[in-house]
Amino acid sequence: MAKRDILILPDKRLRLKSEPVGAIDKAIRALVDDMFETMYDAPGIGLAAIQIGVPRRVVTMDLAKKDDPKAPQVFINPEVTWQSGEKAVAEEGCLSIPEYYEEVERPTAVKVKFLDLAGKPHEIEASGLLATCLQHEIDHINGVLFIDHISKLKRDMVLKKFKKAHKRGGPVTPFSEDKEPSHHIG
Ligand code: K1U
Ligand code: ZN
């Protein structure tokens, strides 16, 4: 097991369409182990393989509440087979766009088919956080980021900030520091 570096915006690899997994072999099981170690360390509730630079259609997730036992889930070659007409707005974050959170509108429920680590096929209907997280991670394996679902004005602001930080070779300045102070002293 090894913790891997997470790709950060504007890394172009985040825009790659990941390849389906064929055989679920030792290499895929090792990839999944590394993804869990990286995701739990971050910490995050989901991770797509491309976020650690591996363009394969593999997603890890753990939506267990803080003091509950771990509940790791693996989705191999996940695919949305149905989405509700009803949509809702929920706040999202992304380990590849650290410290930026924004509201995103998505279908409230989806059906997703996938393989588990044993290669067994499943189809589940998801709602709530599971639906949000599955859609976010399936977007990742298609080269789509959650900022693609927000206004162009906000997306351009985020891209500008992360490109500037990348050039400087440093972290982004916290988004909260961008806001005008409500009171000026002196
Ligand atoms: O794919 C990713 O970048 C991971 C992302 C998943 C996600 C979060 C929220 C809505 C949709 C998808 C994250 O895990 S961001 C971090 C996060 O949400 C979190 C971290 C620690 C505790 C609780 C939440
Ligand atoms: Zn993400």
Side-chain angles (χ1 to χ4, degrees), residues 43-47 51 91-96 132-133 136-137 140:
I45 56 173
L47 193 75
Q51 291 180 277
E91 189 171 83
E92 297 191 18
C94 182
L95 297 176
S96 296
T132 301
C133 205
H136 180 113
E137 302 307 336
H140 269 305

